Amino acid sequence: AKNAGRDTLRFYDPQMQAVVSARATLELDMRVGLAQGQFELYYQPQIDHGRITGAEALLRWRHPREGFISPAHFIPLAEETGLILPLGEWVLQAACRRLAAWAQQPDLALLSLAVNVSPRQFHQVSFVAQVLAALAGAGADGHQLKLEMTEGLLLQDVEDTIDKMGQLKGYGVGFSLDDFGTGYSSLSYLKRLPLDQLKIDQSFVRDVLTDPNDAAIARTVVALGTSLGLRVIAEGVETEAQREFLERHHCHAWQGYLLSPPVAVAAFEELVRRTNG
Ligand code: C2E
Ligand code: CA
Ligand code: CA
Ligand code: CA
């Protein structure tokens, strides 16, 4: 591909053609997969003072021929093709059904569930109605639902974003800013948006003990969030030393392989009982 620069205006490029048809196949497979129940939510625990207080829901696709396909692979394509709209709606409904089921069990009733929301999904006119319908349809309480959004999403149409967040907050729904520090948020936006939580991106957590810049960023995010009245949670915590660093700097909560990767619901519930019991 290095020498393709000289004649980029070819009408037929077999290599490109292969990429295009692989994407078309993947898109079709996603539609079929959604209809046939091949998607599933996995749950990664979020820990606050040694207790599991909630989970992040992470989408998994069990493809009949390819096996597990990573969301890092199919979410961007789903965004491009618009398939994220039905897929994202399914995620919201599945998450709300899970919350309603937990609410029936005393040892799980207080858990919150965080759902990742993509920009295209959030900026649909019907997004607020969709969330409320998912909550009502399942009989779930909005206070247990958190939505994780990225900086790019929040900045796309700030007035619309603030309006939608405000409406949902009226039903108790919380908002986390995901991947914080990797995008373009300015402090003035942070102040205007009705957020509840900042999430320190895992790229800063990874080398927090060895890279002074990452350590400074992690500390600064905690200080900034705290001074704005927000909770701060770190993601991608893999070692006890990272956890200890974050705790020492008053980070409120964390998630990561150190306790558990995202797991299927039965394993998650078992972990909650064992950890909080
Ligand atoms: P994200 O929201 O930043 O999620 C964190 C990712 O880090 C997850 O990858 C999680 O499995 C992984 N992770 C968790 N703990 C650790 C750790 O200790 N070390 C390392 N190295 N990684 C850790 P995953 O599940 O593959 O998801 C990738 C991305 O796909 C997510 O990034 C999110 O942007 C997107 N995604 C996943 N599920 C959904 C969904 O339901 N809707 C939307 N719109 N996006 C989703
Ligand atoms: Ca997330
Ligand atoms: Ca993240
Ligand atoms: Ca990410």
Side-chain angles (χ1 to χ4, degrees), residues 56 116 148 178-180 199-202 235:
E56 177 176 3
N116 291 284
E148 292 199 359
D178 207 352
D179 302 343
F180 185 68
K199 210 161 179 183
I200 305 176
D201 189 66
Q202 59 188 43
E235 68 177 5

Side-chain angles (χ1 to χ4, degrees), residues 139-173:
D141 180 353
H143 291 89
Q144 310 301 113
L145 181 66
K146 293 181 189 168
L147 300 180
E148 292 199 359
M149 318 209 282
T150 53
E151 297 169 84
L153 178 159
L154 295 175
L155 302 185
Q156 260 176 37
D157 180 348
V158 181
E159 297 310 320
D160 177 58
T161 301
I162 292 174
D163 177 55
K164 285 186 167 121
M165 289 172 79
Q167 289 185 53
L168 288 168
K169 282 186 80 73
Y171 292 85
V173 176

Side-chain angles (χ1 to χ4, degrees), residues 7 14 18 20 22 48 81 84 100 109 123-124 126 134 161 163-164 166 188 249 251 258 261 264:
D7 52 354
V20 168
D48 183 344
T81 59
I84 195 69
H123 288 294
Q124 288 174 97
S126 63
T161 301
D163 177 55
K164 285 186 167 121
S188 63
H249 292 95
C251 187
L258 176 61

